[in-house]
Amino acid sequence: MSIQLDKLSSNTVKSSVSGEHVELGSLWKDKTVVMFFLRRFGCQICRWAAAEVSKLEKDLRENGVALIGIGPEETGLQEFKDGGFFKGEIYIDEKKQCYKELGFKRYNAINVLPAALGKKVREIASKASNEGIQGNFSGDLLQSGGMLIVAKGGEKVLLHFIQETPGDLVSLEDITKVLGISASVQAGVKPQCNDDVCTR
């Protein structure tokens, strides 16, 4: 799907620090941004993915790129912050307008369970547990997320990624590749699973 950056840029999101509402476009006005849209702050997979993408924060910053996390609601935010899962700025899309316009789908009572119980999800959940990252079921369980990378000044969309299942994530390598930077970090290895056993 194509994104209308002009329309998207006028949506407002709320700063998790100041409580101030800012236009999304102001976040990419002066620098390229990597925006990580979380499904939920309490989601174990989202927490693992947030910690994973945060490994790039130093390299991104040194290349003039901002790392920004956006959640669809405030539920679980404080616990997420206290857990130190994410190193970038965090905003809330209270109306979920950005989520809608970016095509991040909503599950329903019928399709949420197969999506949440898929092999990819179980692999990452196992990895997260091994690293001491836990989750909970508070908040909106039906929202999916993704990632948006926008070049400085809103010149163009470098990456628009929509999750098909909660276990779909953009690799660190793909993020650095679209930005044209090199990173000094090692991606976490997802555990390998067959249907009932996971190993590291």
Side-chain angles (χ1 to χ4, degrees):
M1 68 177 284
S2 62
I3 300 171
Q4 295 176 292
L5 270 185
D6 291 351
K7 190 176 173 207
L8 191 66
S9 68
S10 61
N11 289 341
T12 59
V13 289
K14 184 167 112 175
S15 164
S16 69
V17 177
S18 66
E20 177 191 3
H21 287 82
V22 300
E23 288 197 346
L24 199 67
S26 69
L27 302 177
W28 60 66
K29 185 173 166 220
D30 300 318
K31 57 180 69 167
T32 296
V33 292
V34 172
M35 294 184 167
F36 173 48
F37 285 82
L38 295 99
R39 294 180 57 242
R40 289 184 304 117
F41 287 116
C43 163
Q44 183 186 32
I45 309 290
C46 299
R47 290 175 172 187
W48 184 84
E52 191 69 2
V53 76
S54 290
K55 292 176 180 178
L56 290 176
E57 195 274 336
K58 182 171 178 286
D59 290 300
L60 295 177
R61 190 165 20 93
E62 286 172 359
N63 285 277
V65 178
L67 178 61
I68 291 169
I70 297 181
E73 59 185 352
E74 291 202 38
T75 305
L77 173 62
Q78 195 55 53
E79 190 182 328
F80 182 83
K81 281 178 157 183
D82 292 346
F85 302 110
F86 191 70
K87 290 197 173 137
E89 295 174 46
I90 301 172
Y91 292 85
I92 313 293
D93 178 9
E94 295 171 301
K95 296 177 184 166
K96 300 184 186 172
Q97 194 61 34
C98 302
Y99 281 75
K100 282 190 201 110
E101 288 176 22
L102 287 167
F104 299 149
K105 68 181 181 185
R106 287 188 62 75
Y107 296 106
N108 58 42
I110 293 163
N111 63 17
V112 70
L113 270 178
L117 296 173
K119 183 178 173 192
K120 223 184 280 185
V121 174
R122 294 199 318 272
E123 286 180 358
I124 299 172
S126 164
K127 174 75 176 163
S129 296
N130 287 338
E131 292 179 16
I133 297 174
Q134 299 302 320
N136 58 53
F137 292 100
S138 62
D140 181 352
L141 300 176
L142 302 179
Q143 183 63 56
S144 69
M147 185 171 280
L148 181 70
I149 302 181
V150 180
K152 178 181 174 180
E155 270 177 44
K156 62 179 174 179
V157 173
L158 300 175
L159 181 126
H160 174 213
F161 172 78
I162 300 172
Q163 281 187 324
E164 285 303 317
T165 80
D168 292 335
L169 306 167
V170 183
S171 72
L172 302 189
E173 186 185 357
D174 286 346
I175 294 170
T176 54
K177 201 180 286 180
V178 300
L179 291 168
I181 64 173
S182 59
S184 55
V185 293
Q186 190 67 43
V189 181
K190 286 189 201 169
Q192 297 304 305
C193 287
N194 59 27
D195 280 343
D196 36 47
V197 184
C198 291
T199 56
R200 293 191 74 174

